[in-house]
Amino acid sequence: MRCDVIDARLVETLVRICGREHVLTNKDQLRTYESDGLRHYRSPPPVAVLPGSADEVREVVRACHEVSCPWVARGAGTGLSGGALPITDGVLVVLTRLNRILEVDLDNQRVVVEPCVTNASVSKAVGPTHFYPPDPSSQVVSTIGGNVSENSGGLHCFKYGFTTNYVTGLEIVLPDGEVVALGGKELDRPGYDLLAAFVGSEGTLGIATEITLRVIPLAESHETMVAYFGSIEAAGEAVSEIVAAGIVPAAIEIMDELSIEATENWTHAGYPLDVAAALIVELDGPEAECDARSGDVLEIFKSAGATGTRVAENEEERALIWKARKAAFGAMGYLSPYYYVQDSVIPRTRLAEILGRIRELSEESGFRIANVFHAGDGNLHPLVCFDARNPGEAEKAEEVAGQILTACVQAGGSITGEHGVGVDKKKHMPEMFSEQDLEAFQRLRCAFDPDGLANPGKVMPTPRLCGEVPGPYRRHPLEQAGVAERL
Amino acid sequence: MTVAAPGPERPSERSAGPERPSERSAGTRREAPSSPEEAAEVMRAAGDEERRVQVRGGGTKRSWGAPLRGGPADIELSTERLDALIEHNEGDLTAVLQAGVPLARAQKAFAEANQMIALDPWLGEGGEATIGGVVATGDSGPLRHQYGAARDLILGITFGLADGTVAKAGGNVIKNVAGYDLAKLFTGSFGTLGLVLEVVMRLHPLAGNRMTAVGGSDDPDALGRAASAVAHSPFGAESLDVAWSDGHGEILARFGGAAPEAAATQAVELLGEAGLDAQRVGDDEGLWERQRQRQRASDGTVVRVSGLTSALPAVLRSAHEADASLVGRAGMGLSWVTLPAQETSALVAVIEDLRRRLRPFPCVVFDAPSDVREKVDVWGDDSAVPLMRRVKARFDPYNVCNPGVFVGGI
């Protein structure tokens, strides 16, 4: 049973739970929520509810469960895969009012937050001595709840890891309205690692209403260096040599010519416009270690054929170098009115080959394709520039982006490194996963959400239902006799 | 990419770890499939016939978990022939290994390229512990401070379920969010969801030079202060451990890299300021081997306490009062308390007393004699057990994978 049209009684129940001002049914108001960061997918929800506490979230979810009404949870809406795209026959649960930092336990390096605390404010709360390592470029706006949902990475994840490595506890509301605590401040609580199952589940297993994060001490020293190269391949070669030398930079990023052009227009960070690629390497750690290693890195830059280098002299210069990199997506507006971001991952050693394929696709299609990527972990963000005002161009751009993604999967990579599958890449899931793999995913989903109410239509390539948990299996007499086989 | 051939022939019966006679009997059929397909077939047949399967890797953790429900296993599935190191992708810092690869053997291969899986639990007297066993139990050692646990280093998995399903999750790259993270779900699941066939692990460069700052004291509060000072320092320790026995304790902070001496010197100062008698140790491998080894007990019982850094003095005092020794990851709040061998009912009482004192910290019992494991709840309770049962029911609906050994009787 599905509520094809939102039942007026359900709306009244939501009003009773959250107050009339926090239940939106007006079409104009609802347009605010019609899409997330993946702007070209739009679907206004029939109703949006803004609960103000974990209890209200639980009551909202329970009310939906009682009438079998599906729902989608949303944080700041910065996601880039349409994970928070509303559904036309369900409730949009907007969590922005749950934005309190509940506890800073610096002694134990833990911070407890509500889901819509922004990523950047966690580091701010524990600074200047400590920080929260996952740092997506959207960190000023994007929320911890959204980061948990997508298992967000960021610029520093090559060394420090992802959201999943920093969540130690969650309080979640299951799709039947039950509240469950997973983990806590302590590590290794007995039982299955359901924290790991939940982080990155893209809102399909429930809603996190309280999140316990691990923070770590800020390194004693950091050194930020940029090298310019005549080809992206040469920059890629420098990355390989750095890794082969056993150096683990805190961040290691490449921007190509087009990305540099776009960001320089905006940030004036001083990147030269006549180079094919800029490689940013940031080392951090104890001062003596940084000093020893930065010399090694500069030496590698030189031997890999860098045409120039720049070392940040102070904190301002470091911030400026990063400002340009973090602005890369936003700045693309200077080059093109629309762009389509990909998030595929390749084994880093296949970089030259994939860049060649991207170049071919650009030439064949006529679209300009800019490249910014997390070079350490092989996470590419090709930006396919197009103009949606020309009929058919958006579809064509999506097709080209899909071809890039296919090439990456064929090279042994992944369709998504940090943006999530959402609606955007679900049709590509079968390129990575067999039917048995997808069925295994569905087993987990059904354990949490047997009625299929949480964010339906996302992640999995085709809609699936959960069967009953099978009872003890008995072979049919015909099977026993070898007359028939179970298929 | 290099492809390695399966390892040298080894005796099929390994002698590591205490054998638990109660869990293997004449009625136990032994299977040692030589391919993932054969293993899947064993699993399917077990599901069909509802026969209880217990997986055996290197046999170094036979005394972990609660006793198998229903007595000795119907089938013991050994991974000893699933022992191919399938890929070592040096440039990508990844490796693909079959579950039965002894971790020590894999580390030797990676070390030739100055790389490692940053997991260093105790691997048995002869290095028998397999990567599959380490992953399935979520075991880890002192490197955890910097690199995390098995769950933080696993990138992908292939597993077999008791209906013949062979499925994979994750991938071969170090960054990937496509699909649910079943690799982490299987990590630490004690074989109760299915059989781990193959894992993809992230590798790290070997740390290069190493140096340890060691400080000693008889005062649990001073040790707590010292551990906390190093845990909060910006020097980036590779490992930060505590050790306690016979009324005396030590904090050990290890640094690695191109120039570890300066950080070790600063750590010595911090330990000294906290009231410890501290020094730098250059030839430090023995210290850390001792830490790894003391996480296990050959004739005692180990209780793993999931605490917090700030509670270290309280945990040390509780261990002392129980006449126990302790090692731990001081910056992570994890401690392994080794209780001396004693008569069963006395041991059960000591475990229960320790749990009462340390409440609400979870205390899990490892390495205990089978009669002790019959009498205490090895895992303790967790409020998420009902949800865990739902997960178990979806992956192993016929309850044939290691039934009863896990939390809540799963």
Side-chain angles (χ1 to χ4, degrees), chain A residues 105-110 129-130 150-151 153-154 157-159 162 164-165 167 172 174 176 178 180-182 185-197 199-202 204-205 214 217-220 243 246-248 285-286 288-289 292-293 343 345-350 374 376-377 379 381 412-421 429 432-434 436-437 440-450 459-460 466-475, chain B residues 44 47-50 90-93 113-115 138 140 144-146 149 151-153 159 161 163-182 184-185 187-190 192-193 202 204-207 228 230-236 255-260 262-263 266 304 306-311 331-334 336 360-362 364 379-384 386-398 406-407 410:
Chain A
D105 177 1
L106 207 51
D107 281 351
N108 291 305
Q109 303 183 343
R110 297 289 186 273
T129 52
H130 293 66
E150 303 296 320
N151 187 17
C157 61
F158 178 56
K159 176 168 179 180
F162 314 92
T164 189
N165 307 113
V167 175
I172 62 169
L174 291 174
D176 62 4
E178 195 192 331
V180 184
L182 308 178
K185 281 186 183 174
E186 308 89 357
L187 302 175
D188 291 0
R189 293 188 68 94
Y192 295 129
D193 195 341
L194 299 183
L195 281 174
V199 176
S201 63
E202 304 196 28
T204 63
L205 302 183
R214 185 166 67 88
L218 206 57
E220 185 182 27
V243 172
I247 300 170
V248 183
E289 186 69 21
R293 288 307 203 176
D343 177 42
V345 188
I346 50 164
R348 208 184 37 72
T349 48
R350 308 286 292 270
H374 307 302
D377 47 40
N379 188 193
H381 291 310
S414 167
I415 58 174
T416 174
E418 56 187 358
H419 295 174
V421 176
M429 285 286 274
M432 250 184 105
F433 298 110
S434 71
Q436 287 208 329
D437 303 341
F441 291 152
Q442 184 67 5
R443 289 172 194 256
L444 181 74
R445 192 169 187 165
C446 292
F448 279 73
D449 183 19
V459 184
M460 298 298 250
C466 300
E468 291 297 311
V469 175
Y473 172 62
R474 297 275 177 267
R475 277 190 148 194
Chain B
R44 191 194 60 73
D48 272 4
E49 296 158 11
E50 288 178 49
E90 289 180 30
D92 296 312
L93 290 164
N114 273 321
Q115 296 180 349
S140 61
R144 180 165 185 176
H145 181 78
Q146 179 174 349
R151 56 133 21 227
D152 300 296
L153 299 166
F159 51 83
L161 302 180
D163 61 1
T165 292
V166 173
K168 66 178 185 308
N172 286 32
V173 282
I174 61 180
K175 191 173 184 188
N176 169 29
V177 295
Y180 298 114
D181 201 338
L182 302 183
K184 288 189 179 47
L185 179 71
T187 302
S189 66
F190 273 72
T192 59
L193 296 174
R202 179 172 183 171
H204 282 87
L206 285 172
S228 187
V230 179
H232 287 275
S233 78
F235 311 139
F255 300 87
Q266 285 165 303
R304 186 188 69 201
S306 290
L308 292 168
T309 305
S310 63
M332 317 245 85
L334 294 168
W336 286 262
F361 296 147
V364 179
W379 295 98
D381 198 15
D382 190 275
S383 62
L387 182 58
M388 292 176 198
R389 287 207 178 97
R390 281 158 59 171
V391 173
K392 165 79 172 179
R394 292 283 171 180
F395 281 86
D396 179 28
Y398 314 123
F406 208 36
V407 61
I410 287 173

Side-chain angles (χ1 to χ4, degrees), chain A residues 74-117:
Chain A
R74 175 191 164 108
T78 59
L80 291 168
S81 58
L85 183 74
I87 46 176
T88 52
D89 61 346
V91 174
L92 185 73
V93 185
V94 181
L95 298 161
T96 43
R97 293 174 64 213
L98 277 78
N99 59 359
R100 284 159 291 199
I101 293 180
L102 300 173
E103 186 190 353
V104 176
D105 177 1
L106 207 51
D107 281 351
N108 291 305
Q109 303 183 343
R110 297 289 186 273
V111 177
V112 185
V113 300
E114 288 186 326
C116 271
V117 164

Side-chain angles (χ1 to χ4, degrees), chain A residues 119 132 134-136 138 142-154 157 161-164 199-200 417-419, chain B residues 175 177:
Chain A
N119 173 294
Y132 174 64
D135 59 344
S138 57
S142 71
T143 65
I144 293 296
N147 293 174
V148 164
S149 174
E150 303 296 320
N151 187 17
S152 300
C157 61
F162 314 92
T163 303
T164 189
V199 176
E418 56 187 358
H419 295 174
Chain B
K175 191 173 184 188
V177 295

Side-chain angles (χ1 to χ4, degrees), chain B residues 66-377:
Chain B
L68 195 72
R69 184 158 55 241
D74 300 313
I75 299 167
E76 183 184 86
L77 195 164
S78 166
T79 59
E80 71 194 72
R81 293 166 73 196
L82 297 170
D83 69 343
L85 202 175
I86 299 170
E87 291 178 16
H88 173 197
N89 305 306
E90 289 180 30
D92 296 312
L93 290 164
T94 61
V96 185
L97 308 95
Q98 285 188 327
V101 175
L103 180 53
R105 193 183 102 212
Q107 298 287 35
K108 212 170 153 190
F110 302 144
E112 285 174 22
N114 273 321
Q115 296 180 349
M116 63 171 170
I117 298 177
L119 273 176
D120 62 341
W122 188 72
L123 298 176
E125 292 295 346
E128 298 89 349
T130 61
I131 184 66
V134 169
V135 165
T137 55
D139 200 10
S140 61
L143 283 176
R144 180 165 185 176
H145 181 78
Q146 179 174 349
Y147 298 100
R151 56 133 21 227
D152 300 296
L153 299 166
I154 191 166
L155 303 172
I157 192 166
T158 305
F159 51 83
L161 302 180
D163 61 1
T165 292
V166 173
K168 66 178 185 308
N172 286 32
V173 282
I174 61 180
K175 191 173 184 188
N176 169 29
V177 295
Y180 298 114
D181 201 338
L182 302 183
K184 288 189 179 47
L185 179 71
F186 270 71
T187 302
S189 66
F190 273 72
T192 59
L193 296 174
L195 167 67
V196 179
L197 291 166
E198 201 176 289
V199 291
V200 187
M201 302 299 294
R202 179 172 183 171
L203 306 181
H204 282 87
L206 285 172
N209 306 322
R210 282 157 149 177
M211 184 163 275
T212 298
V214 190
S217 170
D218 299 342
D219 176 3
D221 290 315
L223 293 163
R225 278 196 305 276
S228 187
V230 179
H232 287 275
S233 78
F235 311 139
E238 179 188 69
S239 301
L240 174 57
D241 260 31
V242 57
W244 178 273
S245 63
D246 300 324
H248 182 77
E250 280 176 350
I251 298 294
L252 303 92
R254 191 180 210 186
F255 300 87
E261 300 81 6
T265 305
Q266 285 165 303
V268 165
E269 277 173 32
L270 287 179
L271 299 178
E273 283 164 22
L276 272 54
D277 182 12
Q279 58 178 331
R280 292 190 329 185
V281 179
D283 184 14
D284 60 356
E285 188 46 39
L287 288 178
W288 293 98
E289 181 57 21
R290 188 196 70 186
Q291 290 297 103
R292 283 189 281 273
Q293 210 163 0
R294 285 196 189 168
Q295 228 169 286
R296 299 292 304 272
S298 51
D299 61 347
T301 289
V302 175
V303 177
R304 186 188 69 201
V305 182
S306 290
L308 292 168
T309 305
S310 63
L312 181 59
V315 177
L316 289 174
R317 285 201 174 87
S318 298
H320 186 64
E321 279 159 31
D323 206 14
S325 62
L326 173 154
V327 293
R329 306 289 98 79
M332 317 245 85
L334 294 168
S335 303
W336 286 262
V337 178
T338 300
L339 303 171
Q342 53 202 293
E343 194 258 322
T344 302
S345 60
L347 196 52
V348 170
V350 172
I351 293 168
E352 281 168 1
D353 186 51
L354 198 62
R355 279 186 164 148
R356 203 164 33 245
R357 283 165 186 269
L358 293 174
R359 201 172 284 153
F361 296 147
C363 297
V364 179
V365 179
F366 293 101
D367 285 337
S370 56
D371 51 344
V372 173
R373 292 185 299 120
E374 299 276 358
K375 289 199 171 59
V376 293
D377 177 357

Side-chain angles (χ1 to χ4, degrees), chain A residues 236-252:
Chain A
E237 188 48 42
V239 175
S240 290
E241 285 180 31
I242 290 168
V243 172
I247 300 170
V248 183
I252 183 159

